[in-house]
Amino acid sequence: MTGDDDLTNGPETYRSVQLDTDVSLRLLAGVSLGRIVFTRHALPTVRPVNHVLVDGDIVIRTHGDAALARYTRQTGGEGAVVAYEADDIDPDTHLGWSVVVTGYAQLVTDPVELARYRALLRPWGSQKMDHAVRIHPDLVTGVRLTDRDPPPFA
């Protein structure tokens, strides 16, 4: 963890504690739902998706006609710039954490790799999700929203 800011919300004081990359990715691996942000028609688009972390990369499943699949195809081998966000924030106390990953998304084309991701990640949508997108994190930021005296974080 690095740095922190005091936030005053009425009579109580909360802290925003910056998390390092390892802690942020560990938290991200502990939840299955997040939001992917990509460009569609030159504007930001956000979609809720489920994910799994594999070898340090975020993997999501999608269908071939999805806007995200088309976006990753347009960029060729370089990958498409995306952001991925997941969090676990209590709606009553507003305490918890949030992690944002920025990186390059690529459509998975290797049949062996695709089969591996299909076995690891069950899509929650009703459509046939026969494609996978792998996001390699380039920039990882995380923040823990905590009360004044948080317990040690491991």
Side-chain angles (χ1 to χ4, degrees), residues 15-19 24 27 96-100 141-145:
R15 285 183 19 172
S16 170
V17 180
Q18 300 300 311
L19 303 173
S24 296
L27 289 169
W97 58 266
S98 176
V99 171
V100 176
T141 59
V143 64
R144 179 174 286 283
L145 306 171

Side-chain angles (χ1 to χ4, degrees), residues 59-141:
V59 178
I60 62 172
R61 289 193 40 197
T62 188
H63 58 92
D65 281 343
L68 177 62
R70 288 193 307 270
Y71 177 58
T72 57
R73 278 191 205 103
Q74 292 172 356
T75 61
E78 297 173 9
V81 175
V82 299
Y84 192 82
E85 190 273 343
D87 56 53
D88 185 11
I89 298 174
D90 184 280
D92 295 324
T93 65
H94 300 182
L95 302 179
W97 58 266
S98 176
V99 171
V100 176
V101 171
T102 305
Y104 290 91
Q106 294 181 317
L107 197 61
V108 176
T109 57
D110 178 83
V112 173
E113 190 178 7
L114 187 55
R116 177 183 181 207
Y117 297 153
R118 285 179 179 159
L120 289 173
L121 181 61
R122 300 273 186 259
W124 52 270
S126 60
Q127 290 183 290
K128 183 178 178 186
M129 304 285 191
D130 52 355
H131 290 69
V133 172
R134 182 183 54 247
I135 304 163
H136 181 73
D138 280 340
L139 176 63
V140 179
T141 59

